Amino acid sequence: MIAERVSMKTLSEQVRNAIERAGVSRYRISKETGVSQPALSRFIHGERGLSIEALDAIGLYLGLSITTQRPGRPAKKKE
């Protein structure tokens, strides 16, 4: 179970990866979302977090959604 937790990425890591893979510049993400460039840069470099409002704006801009998975527990089959 501990090994499974180590391999799971945090939500922040997943958002950072989505930003990097977005195919648009951080400048554009900043302008389109209203998240300041310095705040976005500090987040990308892991120096600071972002507010819920900033994460919401980035998530909406990039079309992100959250799904849940319970590590170590297989999904129940519907009968």
Side-chain angles (χ1 to χ4, degrees):
M1 181 111 148
I2 293 173
E4 290 174 356
R5 287 184 183 164
V6 171
S7 66
M8 290 177 18
K9 291 185 179 184
T10 66
L11 185 57
S12 293
E13 290 170 325
Q14 292 177 57
V15 173
R16 282 186 193 97
N17 289 338
I19 290 169
E20 294 296 324
R21 292 189 317 259
V24 296
S25 69
R26 291 184 204 160
Y27 173 82
R28 182 170 184 133
I29 292 171
S30 174
K31 291 299 180 190
E32 296 288 331
T33 63
V35 177
S36 74
Q37 290 183 55
L40 189 58
S41 179
R42 287 190 297 267
F43 174 72
I44 292 294
H45 293 0
E47 298 168 3
R48 287 235 148 155
L50 289 174
S51 69
I52 293 295
E53 293 81 10
L55 288 171
D56 282 347
I58 291 169
L60 287 171
Y61 178 74
L62 297 177
L64 302 179
S65 63
I66 294 176
T67 58
T68 58
Q69 291 179 309
R70 294 181 182 228
R73 293 183 176 170
K76 289 186 176 182
K77 293 181 183 178
K78 293 184 179 182
E79 294 182 28

